[in-house]
Amino acid sequence: MIKRTKKYLLQASKAFYLAAILSSLASLNSLANATDLYRQTQYKTSYKNCARSQDSCSYYQIDYPILAAKSPAAQAINRQLQSQIFGKVTPEQAAAKFLNEYAKDQVVGGASFAWAMKRQVQVEAYTERLLSLRDYTYEFKGGAHGHHQTQFYNFDLQSGQALTLSDLFRPGYEKPLTALAETIFREQKGLTPQQSLAAANYTFPNNRFTLSKAILITPMGLTVYYNPYEIASYAQGITEIEVPFYQIEDWLKDANKPNSLVNQLRQE
């Protein structure tokens, strides 16, 4: 996140964005000591209690935060987060399902390799108004490599509701936001405005740039994240695009109102 702010400092008006950057660094410092705001919880187990140090040991592990506050908003976020991660089951039930599937596979296929499920849900941004989380999952059930998946959750700490782009932008924002993200993507990948995405080995639907559904909201802007295989081969890895709010200022909702959501985010 510190690297992002340095990037923005070079791109933006120093007078305006220096305050935002200093505030963002202060948020990082408070985030490092945020144990009074949330606690990181871990659940882990293994097949027949095998030792994780053994190559043949199949295991399930998940780490995720729980907000410590007893406010209705915090409790609403905790419930939504539990639902996002586990659905309608408990961590114990989710782990049992995974390891039972492994046991059945051993009986049917007799595979000698171990399975692994490791999920890390961690706080990316925590301010007075915004909670943004990165949910990273690694799963291995055989094959050439494991499966990696990242998604994001963004919450309004004031209301307890999940944040969407419609909460930040005026109606009709989709087209200009997509166009801006494509411009940043092409610059990042060294592609010309006219160059075919398919010819450059990107697999966007119908050879047209689209926004990923995995979007992180930060006080500075958006991070648009593409998982492996989403727009390119596994070997090409992931793609992250940083879209600063200032570059799409005209479409921000209530940008001229100091107490609007987007301005509260930018001031923190």
Side-chain angles (χ1 to χ4, degrees), residues 36-267:
D36 57 327
L37 301 174
Y38 68 92
R39 67 179 187 276
Q40 199 70 16
T41 302
Q42 183 182 88
Y43 176 80
K44 59 182 179 180
T45 187
S46 59
Y47 183 67
K48 294 184 178 180
N49 295 317
C50 60
R52 284 276 302 276
S53 58
Q54 298 175 343
D55 292 339
S56 59
C57 184
S58 294
Y59 69 91
Y60 178 102
Q61 177 177 325
I62 183 164
D63 299 80
Y64 60 99
I66 297 178
L67 298 188
K70 301 300 182 181
S71 67
Q75 294 306 303
I77 290 172
N78 283 336
R79 289 193 296 271
Q80 292 176 76
L81 187 56
Q82 292 273 337
S83 178
Q84 290 279 6
I85 299 173
F86 301 111
K88 296 182 179 181
V89 301
T90 65
E92 292 81 1
Q93 290 170 327
K97 180 181 178 182
F98 179 79
L99 295 177
N100 286 338
E101 288 177 354
Y102 167 73
K104 292 178 181 178
D105 183 74
Q106 291 292 93
V107 173
V108 175
S112 58
F113 54 81
W115 286 16
M117 167 64 81
K118 187 171 184 179
R119 192 167 181 178
Q120 178 77 37
V121 184
Q122 61 187 26
V123 175
E124 287 285 308
Y126 199 135
T127 70
E128 291 185 4
R129 190 71 190 267
L130 173 70
L131 172 66
S132 297
L133 304 166
R134 179 186 295 261
D135 182 358
Y136 169 76
T137 300
Y138 169 77
E139 182 180 59
F140 180 76
K141 292 183 176 181
H145 51 73
H147 176 69
H148 303 265
Q149 180 76 22
T150 295
Q151 54 189 327
F152 299 104
Y153 313 123
N154 306 286
F155 295 102
D156 183 342
L157 284 169
Q158 190 175 93
S159 67
Q161 298 299 310
L163 285 173
T164 68
L165 297 185
S166 296
D167 295 316
L168 303 176
F169 298 100
R170 295 188 289 105
Y173 72 88
E174 293 89 350
K175 187 174 181 179
L177 177 58
T178 301
L180 173 59
E182 180 173 6
T183 297
I184 296 172
F185 171 83
R186 287 179 176 274
E187 290 176 352
Q188 182 174 307
K189 299 299 184 181
L191 306 177
T192 66
Q194 296 77 29
Q195 191 169 353
S196 166
L197 294 169
N201 298 317
Y202 292 102
T203 56
F204 287 97
N206 301 317
N207 196 29
R208 297 183 62 181
F209 180 88
T210 56
L211 290 175
S212 172
K213 293 182 179 179
I215 297 180
L216 175 73
I217 299 173
T218 77
M220 301 298 293
L222 308 176
T223 298
V224 183
Y225 186 98
Y226 296 90
N227 280 286
Y229 290 123
E230 187 173 354
I231 59 170
S233 67
Y234 183 85
Q236 288 172 272
I238 61 98
T239 294
E240 283 188 287
I241 306 170
E242 305 291 349
V243 183
F245 282 139
Y246 74 84
Q247 289 193 354
I248 195 167
E249 189 83 21
D250 291 344
W251 287 93
L252 291 175
K253 183 177 287 187
D254 298 325
N256 60 335
K257 297 180 180 180
N259 292 326
S260 67
L261 171 61
V262 68
N263 279 322
Q264 287 186 18
L265 295 186
R266 293 196 293 182
Q267 290 168 9

Side-chain angles (χ1 to χ4, degrees), residues 5-20:
T5 56
K6 288 181 179 179
K7 177 181 177 182
Y8 298 150
L9 179 58
L10 295 174
Q11 295 177 325
S13 167
K14 291 185 179 180
F16 179 82
Y17 284 97
L18 182 57

